[in-house]
Amino acid sequence: NYLGNARRHHRNIMEGNFLTLHSTATVLVFFVDSSRFMLYGSGAFARVVSLDIADSILKDLEIVGKKEFISTIDTWVSQIRIPVSDMVIVLSERTYFFKDGIGTKEEIEKETQAFTDSVPFENVKTKRYSTSQGYRIVAINDEFVAAIIDALRPHDISVVAIVPSFLLESHRDKQALDPDMGKYVIGHIEQLKPMSIVPPERLRETASKEVEVFAKKNQRLVVFLGIFVVLIIVLAILLLLQ
């Protein structure tokens, strides 16, 4: 709609001047459970809303139907009319694998690799966190999280961090998002950003695969043109020699 386009245009202008809208944008907390997503926001969006995900499109954290999965989130976000926002995604303990341990740097590296290999997902993203007892390795299904980000990006929602729920101190054991947890996350957003499982630069990526495919096609075109030009030159020389 016109208002949405105007807001996007304004945001683009501000970013072009190396400014951001972090001071005016709504901050959202997106709580991800195994089959339910919950959302809480600051300001006028200070309420909890939820979305249940059907087993037919998401089963044991594996996306069964990616198009349907993204479409479900996209429709839900459109219906609840989320404004331009910065978002922190909180992963419940049922959406990630973890392993605690202690050891030397070399031992930790080996344990991290062995743990990563044992996680039953094709694409795994891991991060180690220091704890009072030693360390904790957290592993997530990278495709699952990437699909969520893909569904949110067209709605002017900027994901600034993805963190496991155990980082939320007194809220770490909660199985559902409530206003107190939402306020805690919003109030500690700057401390949570460096602890994101997915690096900030990855969160800002846009359609990298499409860019790579486009580049490969251009390279092929240059090669074909080069061959065509050489053939024309050879043909011309042959005609002149006759």
Side-chain angles (χ1 to χ4, degrees):
N1 57 33
Y2 176 82
L3 180 58
N5 291 335
R7 286 188 303 187
R8 282 188 286 274
H9 179 65
H10 177 66
R11 184 167 190 165
N12 291 335
I13 292 174
M14 295 296 283
E15 289 176 346
N17 290 324
F18 304 100
L19 300 174
T20 66
L21 289 179
H22 291 298
S23 60
T24 57
T26 298
V27 179
L28 300 174
V29 180
F30 191 78
F31 187 83
V32 178
D33 202 2
S34 55
S35 61
R36 171 174 288 187
F37 299 159
M38 306 182 75
L39 192 67
Y40 177 86
S42 62
F45 205 82
R47 63 186 187 275
V48 175
V49 292
S50 62
L51 170 68
D52 290 319
I53 304 297
D55 288 345
S56 59
I57 59 175
L58 180 66
K59 185 72 172 178
D60 297 327
L61 302 180
E62 293 276 11
I63 299 175
V64 180
K66 186 173 181 179
K67 288 184 179 180
E68 293 81 1
F69 179 78
I70 291 177
S71 177
T72 298
I73 298 175
D74 176 73
T75 300
W76 177 57
V77 171
S78 297
Q79 288 175 343
I80 59 181
R81 298 173 182 268
I82 295 176
V84 173
S85 309
D86 288 338
M87 175 181 284
V88 176
I89 295 178
V90 177
L91 303 174
S92 85
E93 63 179 13
R94 290 189 287 235
T95 62
Y96 59 84
F97 289 82
F98 70 90
K99 181 177 178 60
D100 295 323
I102 56 175
T104 64
K105 183 177 180 180
E106 183 176 325
E107 291 171 337
I108 293 172
E109 291 294 339
K110 289 182 179 179
E111 188 63 37
T112 300
Q113 186 60 57
F115 173 68
T116 301
D117 293 340
S118 70
V119 175
F121 299 128
E122 185 175 346
N123 295 307
V124 179
K125 184 70 179 176
T126 61
K127 186 175 179 67
R128 284 197 307 269
Y129 296 92
S130 297
T131 65
S132 56
Q133 290 78 31
Y135 65 87
R136 170 170 288 189
I137 312 168
V138 173
I140 61 173
N141 181 354
D142 199 23
E143 290 184 357
F144 173 52
V145 173
I148 293 175
I149 296 174
D150 286 344
L152 296 172
R153 185 175 284 123
H155 296 275
D156 277 335
I157 297 173
S158 300
V159 178
V160 297
I162 300 174
V163 296
S165 59
F166 85 89
L167 295 175
L168 305 186
E169 298 184 355
S170 60
H171 304 280
R172 61 187 299 163
D173 296 324
K174 290 182 177 179
Q175 302 299 320
L177 176 65
D178 60 24
D180 287 339
M181 183 197 290
K183 291 174 184 176
Y184 174 88
V185 174
I186 291 170
H188 292 78
I189 188 170
E190 293 304 322
Q191 293 94 322
L192 291 172
K193 283 180 181 180
M195 294 187 280
S196 177
I197 297 177
V198 180
E201 59 271 17
R202 236 293 292 285
L203 295 173
R204 291 191 293 267
E205 287 178 0
T206 56
S208 58
K209 290 184 179 179
E210 293 181 9
V211 173
E212 291 172 2
V213 171
F214 181 76
K216 289 177 182 177
K217 287 180 179 178
N218 278 345
Q219 290 171 2
R220 293 193 192 101
L221 181 60
V222 171
V223 172
F224 288 145
L225 286 175
I227 294 173
F228 180 73
V229 170
V230 171
L231 290 174
I232 293 296
I233 294 173
V234 171
L235 180 61
I237 293 174
L238 291 173
L239 291 173
L240 290 174
L241 291 176
Q242 286 182 354

